[in-house]
Amino acid sequence: MTSNDRELILTRLIDAPRALLFRCWTEPDLIKRWFVPAPWTIAHAEVDLRPGGRSLIVMRDPDGNEFPNPGIYLEVVKDEKLVFTDAYVSAWQPSEKPFMTGIVTFEDEGGKTRYTARALHWNEEDRKTHEEMGFHEGWGKCADQLAALAATL
Amino acid sequence: MTSNDRELILTRLIDAPRALLFRCWTEPDLIKRWFVPAPWTIAHAEVDLRPGGRSLIVMRDPDGNEFPNPGIYLEVVKDEKLVFTDAYVSAWQPSEKPFMTGIVTFEDEGGKTRYTARALHWNEEDRKTHEEMGFHEGWGKCADQLAALAATL
């Protein structure tokens, strides 16, 4: 899939209903089971699912170091679309560094779900950094974990 | 009024009902009559008043040069609160440079309206630049124009 110079995109056809994938993205107990590539884990997940609502996901590396990722939701369309950003730590306190806006969509496609995750950046440098941090591998591995989890629900 | 190191605040008690000031902030024909300090004028105003909706205000200097200010609304509470930012040019395309988030509130106070406009920046440098650009004088003069307009409606 093409992406512009400030955007990264990952898309997959997943054999699960939209509503189930949306739940995996928005319910803390489910988020913990797939949202970071193993062997990292999610130590904590908080979701206030509404525009301006806070999201806090704390990732933990194999040594036990924790990495909090605070952000807010900008748009919530149940079972269809989620938009969130790290540009704010709460509504509407700017973060130290606006890095990305995530747009995740879930669409019906031949009895499965077209899952698309886009990361939009404020400049080309941040996009490049994100790509070098392993966007495609990381989000790809997470998408595998998401599909595997959905298959068990 | 105090403000933190990334914020600028202007507040006024205006002798007009909240609903009227909210209209002045959100109706293009009214926006054109007060939103920029004279002798500058507003050449064009577009308002899509909903979270994620686009706002475009084009300012014109006395020589006829035009300065477009695109942004989006993040939160809209009728007659009470407006939040907008230049961090996006549309929902949810990041702008070239996220500079500020504006939070404007309208509260009843002794039969008048407590009008408060806050500009939140992503860093201290942008706040300083905004202050040096004349935030207090500019927004102050606009508040005078807003109060004068409201008195005629």
Side-chain angles (χ1 to χ4, degrees):
Chain A
M1 198 160 191
T2 57
S3 57
N4 72 26
D5 58 0
R6 298 192 293 159
E7 192 170 337
L8 294 167
I9 301 186
L10 177 124
T11 184
R12 291 285 177 88
L13 194 61
I14 298 181
D15 191 4
R18 282 192 285 125
L20 195 53
L21 299 181
F22 189 84
R23 282 185 55 206
C24 291
W25 258 92
T26 55
E27 295 183 12
D29 288 346
L30 294 177
I31 288 173
K32 288 181 182 172
R33 295 169 65 183
W34 72 273
F35 201 75
V36 75
W40 283 51
T41 54
I42 302 292
H44 181 73
E46 261 178 64
V47 169
D48 181 7
L49 196 64
R50 58 185 174 89
R54 198 155 180 260
S55 151
L56 174 62
I57 294 181
V58 181
M59 301 181 176
R60 184 187 280 149
D61 75 13
D63 294 327
N65 303 305
E66 297 195 348
F67 302 85
N69 287 266
I72 63 155
Y73 295 101
L74 291 170
E75 189 178 342
V76 177
V77 185
K78 191 171 162 13
D79 302 340
E80 286 182 24
K81 187 181 188 184
L82 268 183
V83 184
F84 51 91
T85 183
D86 57 20
Y88 298 93
V89 292
S90 63
W92 298 99
Q93 283 302 322
S95 59
E96 291 296 316
K97 157 75 180 160
F99 181 69
M100 65 162 275
T101 300
I103 302 181
V104 181
T105 53
F106 310 90
E107 299 161 283
D108 293 326
E109 188 176 313
K112 301 184 177 180
T113 297
R114 170 60 55 187
Y115 166 72
T116 304
R118 299 161 61 199
L120 289 71
H121 305 85
W122 274 274
N123 56 63
E124 204 171 332
E125 195 184 330
D126 285 347
R127 173 207 168 268
K128 194 159 170 272
T129 299
H130 201 177
E131 191 163 28
E132 288 167 359
M133 281 162 61
F135 169 87
H136 293 289
E137 298 81 352
W139 286 47
K141 193 163 175 183
C142 285
D144 292 340
Q145 295 174 173
L146 169 63
L149 171 61
T152 70
L153 298 175
Chain B
M1 201 159 189
T2 57
S3 57
N4 72 26
D5 58 0
R6 297 193 293 162
E7 191 171 338
L8 294 168
I9 302 186
L10 176 122
T11 184
R12 290 285 177 89
L13 193 62
I14 297 181
D15 192 4
R18 283 191 286 125
L20 196 52
L21 299 181
F22 189 85
R23 282 185 53 206
C24 292
W25 257 93
T26 55
E27 295 182 13
D29 289 345
L30 295 177
I31 289 172
K32 287 182 183 170
R33 296 169 65 183
W34 73 273
F35 201 75
V36 74
W40 283 51
T41 54
I42 302 294
H44 181 72
E46 260 178 65
V47 168
D48 181 7
L49 196 63
R50 58 186 175 88
R54 198 155 180 262
S55 151
L56 175 63
I57 295 182
V58 182
M59 301 181 177
R60 184 187 280 150
D61 73 13
D63 294 328
N65 301 305
E66 297 194 349
F67 302 84
N69 287 265
I72 62 154
Y73 295 101
L74 292 169
E75 188 179 343
V76 177
V77 185
K78 191 169 162 16
D79 303 339
E80 286 181 23
K81 187 181 186 183
L82 269 181
V83 183
F84 52 91
T85 184
D86 57 20
Y88 298 93
V89 294
S90 63
W92 299 98
Q93 283 301 321
S95 58
E96 291 296 316
K97 157 73 181 160
F99 181 67
M100 63 162 276
T101 299
I103 302 180
V104 181
T105 52
F106 310 90
E107 298 161 283
D108 292 325
E109 188 177 313
K112 302 184 176 181
T113 297
R114 169 60 56 188
Y115 166 71
T116 304
R118 298 160 63 198
L120 288 71
H121 305 85
W122 273 276
N123 56 62
E124 205 172 331
E125 196 184 328
D126 286 347
R127 172 207 167 269
K128 194 158 168 275
T129 300
H130 201 178
E131 191 162 27
E132 289 167 359
M133 281 164 63
F135 169 87
H136 292 288
E137 297 80 354
W139 286 48
K141 192 165 177 182
C142 285
D144 292 341
Q145 295 175 172
L146 170 62
L149 171 61
T152 70
L153 297 174

